[in-house]
Amino acid sequence: MMIPQLLTFFGDAGPCPGGDFLGFPKWYKYLGHQMVTGKDGQTSCAPQITGLSDIWLIVASVIELLLRIGALAAIVYALYGSIQFITSQGDPSKTQAARQTIINALVGLVISVGAATLVTFLAGGFK
């Protein structure tokens, strides 16, 4: 009885399985859910861990979260490279360095989005 209340405390207090925070998945995204009624009579949704295999679903969700953070970092890095390009004032070495920064950021973004898509596909198959 204590574990569902603990999971509700750290989990989603809203509707089942409901909204991500700023587009980031929750750690229990791929787990099943159950409705739990608290002492005050309010019903909330709690993740349901049914076995040891559910740990892989939690790990997949955490990996997806980290990959999305990596995608955001790649976008920020591309913006940084763009600012470098604008402020290079035509200097060929600075322009080339800025162009390489933008290319590296875009490659990282493609890899991160592709890996997040693959994790989502694989974890959805285990669900």
Side-chain angles (χ1 to χ4, degrees), residues 24 60-73 108-109 111-120:
F24 294 117
S61 184
V62 170
I63 289 172
E64 183 181 353
L65 171 70
L66 294 174
L67 287 170
R68 288 187 184 195
I69 290 172
L72 285 176
L109 180 64
I111 290 171
S112 180
V113 169
T117 303
L118 181 66
V119 168
T120 301

Side-chain angles (χ1 to χ4, degrees), residues 3-5 7-8 11-12 16 28 32-36 44-49:
I3 292 176
Q5 291 172 351
L7 292 176
T8 302
D12 185 14
C16 232
Y28 56 87
H33 293 79
Q34 67 183 11
M35 298 306 289
V36 177
S44 62
C45 186
Q48 187 177 25
I49 299 175

Side-chain angles (χ1 to χ4, degrees), residues 76-97:
V76 169
Y77 198 58
L79 289 173
Y80 172 71
S82 300
I83 292 170
Q84 278 185 326
F85 190 81
I86 291 169
T87 59
S88 68
Q89 299 179 351
D91 184 10
S93 63
K94 288 183 180 179
T95 303
Q96 182 61 29

